[in-house]
Amino acid sequence: MANALPGQKTGEVTATQNPFEFHVYGPRHLSSPSWWDLLRSSWKDPSYRRMVIACFIQGVYLLELDRQDKRDERTALAPQWWRHFMYRLSQTLVDERDGSIYGAVLEWDRRALLAGYAPFRPAGAPAAVVALRGTLLSGATFRRDVVDDLRFLAWDSLKGSVRFAGALAALRSAARRHGTGNVCVGGHSLGAGFALQVGKALAKEGVFVECHVFNPPSVSLATSLRGFAETAGEMWGYVRAWLPYVGSAAAADAGGEAKEVSLGRAGTAKWLPHLYINTNDYICCYYTDTAAGTATVTARGGSGGSKVAGGDGGIGKPGLARMLTVSKGPTKFLDAHGLQQWWADDVELQVALNHSKLIDRQLRSLYAAQPASPQVNQ
C-alpha cells in the first residue's frame, strides 16, 4: 500500500510551517462543533462524517511520524487533527515489536465542548472512534507494515497479525464502554483492511459497529484463486445445463435457490460497512468488479446511482455494504490512493448500485442461510 502522505503543496506553506499542519493540509470548510451544532448536528451529514473520520485517520499517520521525529506535546502535529472536532486521544495502539503506532482510540472531549458553552455531544457524533492507518514507506515501521501487506496479499486475511488482535481488543472495549451505536471504526489502505476484518469479526459475535474504510486493499493471491475456482464452477454449471438427460429443470431450480439465498442474505444484513473507492487506485479498484445478481451495494436515488458534488448521496434499502466511488477526483495512482481526497471540498462521489463480487465473497459468511432445523415425526 502506498504512503498516504503526499508532498508539500507549492506556494501554500511558509518556511515556519509544517506541510501537514491541520490549517494547511486539512479541509478548508469544516467548522468546530458549537452550541448551534447541538440543534443542527453536522454529524448527520454523510459528507461531514466521511471527512472527519478521514481526518482522524490522518491524525494516526501523524502520531507515528511525531514519534519518529521525536516531537513533544508542544510541536506535535497529530492532535490538531482531532482537537478541531472536540475529540481527545484516549488510547494509542502500539506494535510492541517495534514500538510503532498503527492506530488510536479517539473519544468525545466533554471538557473541550464545555469550554465552548455546549453542554452535550451533538446528535450522531460517535462517542469513540477507532482509527487505523495504512503503510508508511519510511521510518522504522516500514518492515512491519510491509509484512502485513504481504500477509494480506498471500492470504486475503490479517487475522494472524499482532495488530489485528490489538485493533479487535480496542474496538470491543470501546463498544462495551460506550455502546455499539456510539462507536465506529475507520481505516485507510492497510488500515482499511484491518478495519473491515475487525468489524466483520465483531459482527460475527452479534456486535454491529459502524465501519468506514478508505481505499481498502482488494488484490490478493487467495482472492484470485477463489475467483478462478468460482468462475470454473459457474462454467461447469452452464455445461451441465446443456448436457442431455442431466435435467436442466433441476439446474434451473438450483440456480433459483442460490438466488433466493442471496436475496435473503442481502435482506437480513445488519452490518453495513461504508467503502470509499477510487477506481484509478489499482489497490482498491477490484471492489467495483460486478456480477449479475442481487444488488449487494444499494442506495436511495434510482437505479443508476446518484452523483453528488462533495456529498455522499442518500442511503436506502439494505444491502451487504454501502460503497461510494469517485466520479470526479484524482486520477494519478498516488493521489487516487491518498487520504486527502476524502476530505476535499471539490470531490464528486457516486453511489454505487452494482453487485460487487468481492464484497459478496468477503461478507457472505455473515449472512449465509441458516440450515433448516430437522423436523421430528410425531
Side-chain angles (χ1 to χ4, degrees), residues 84-154:
H84 182 83
F85 306 105
M86 302 297 182
Y87 279 78
R88 65 179 182 87
L89 180 63
S90 173
Q91 178 187 356
T92 55
L93 305 183
V94 178
D95 190 327
E96 297 180 354
R97 298 168 297 177
D98 60 3
S100 62
I101 299 171
Y102 63 90
V105 180
L106 305 173
E107 294 184 346
W108 181 258
D109 192 349
R110 297 176 181 174
R111 292 175 296 178
L113 195 64
L114 289 174
Y117 305 102
F120 51 85
R121 177 163 44 100
V129 178
V130 178
L132 304 169
R133 67 166 176 84
T135 302
L136 282 171
L137 298 181
S138 61
T141 187
F142 172 75
R143 177 186 173 189
R144 297 299 181 187
D145 289 355
V146 171
V147 166
D148 281 332
D149 289 335
L150 295 176
R151 184 193 307 275
F152 183 89
L153 182 63

Side-chain angles (χ1 to χ4, degrees), residues 41-343:
S41 175
S42 298
W43 278 95
K44 295 179 180 179
D45 179 5
S47 295
Y48 182 89
R49 201 174 193 87
R50 163 178 50 83
M51 291 180 180
V52 175
I53 293 175
C55 287
F56 289 167
I57 299 169
Q58 176 70 16
V60 177
Y61 278 104
L62 291 171
L63 269 176
E64 172 56 20
L65 293 180
D66 285 343
R67 183 191 73 87
Q68 292 182 16
D69 295 339
K70 299 181 179 179
R71 298 190 185 98
D72 55 24
E73 294 183 2
R74 183 180 59 86
T75 58
L77 299 173
Q80 305 172 17
W81 290 81
W82 55 75
R83 286 178 180 169
H84 182 83
F85 306 105
M86 302 297 182
Y87 279 78
R88 65 179 182 87
L89 180 63
S90 173
Q91 178 187 356
T92 55
L93 305 183
V94 178
D95 190 327
E96 297 180 354
R97 298 168 297 177
D98 60 3
S100 62
I101 299 171
Y102 63 90
V105 180
L106 305 173
E107 294 184 346
W108 181 258
D109 192 349
R110 297 176 181 174
R111 292 175 296 178
L113 195 64
L114 289 174
Y117 305 102
F120 51 85
R121 177 163 44 100
V129 178
V130 178
L132 304 169
R133 67 166 176 84
T135 302
L136 282 171
L137 298 181
S138 61
T141 187
F142 172 75
R143 177 186 173 189
R144 297 299 181 187
D145 289 355
V146 171
V147 166
D148 281 332
D149 289 335
L150 295 176
R151 184 193 307 275
F152 183 89
L153 182 63
W155 302 108
D156 195 29
S157 175
L158 296 164
K159 289 185 178 180
S161 172
V162 171
R163 297 178 179 184
F164 177 90
L168 180 60
L171 186 59
R172 183 182 287 118
S173 175
R176 289 175 178 172
R177 180 177 179 182
H178 299 285
T180 56
N182 297 313
V183 175
C184 73
V185 60
H188 172 253
S189 189
L190 176 62
F194 277 113
L196 193 61
Q197 295 191 15
V198 166
K200 177 182 174 181
L202 281 188
K204 286 185 175 181
E205 301 174 7
V207 179
F208 304 104
V209 175
E210 184 179 341
C211 180
H212 295 261
V213 292
F214 303 86
N215 303 89
S218 63
V219 181
S220 73
L221 179 61
T223 297
S224 300
L225 292 176
R226 280 199 296 267
F228 176 78
E230 291 178 0
T231 301
E234 292 175 0
M235 293 180 64
W236 174 238
Y238 294 142
V239 171
R240 289 183 59 190
W242 284 98
L243 290 176
Y245 309 112
V246 170
S248 57
D253 292 341
E257 291 175 2
K259 185 175 182 181
E260 184 178 354
V261 170
S262 181
L263 283 167
R265 214 167 39 237
T268 59
K270 296 181 180 179
W271 184 64
L272 305 177
H274 302 251
L275 287 83
Y276 305 94
I277 307 297
N278 188 321
T279 55
N280 295 300
D281 171 16
Y282 62 78
I283 290 178
C284 70
C285 64
Y286 291 100
Y287 273 100
T288 60
D289 281 358
T290 62
T294 306
T296 58
V297 185
T298 57
R300 188 189 317 126
S303 58
S306 57
K307 292 184 179 180
V308 183
D312 295 356
I315 301 297
K317 57 184 179 179
L320 290 185
R322 296 164 177 168
M323 185 164 65
L324 291 161
T325 60
V326 174
S327 59
K328 181 181 179 181
T331 56
K332 295 183 179 179
F333 166 69
L334 289 180
D335 295 330
H337 189 66
L339 186 57
Q340 184 189 18
Q341 64 184 315
W342 301 113
W343 66 68

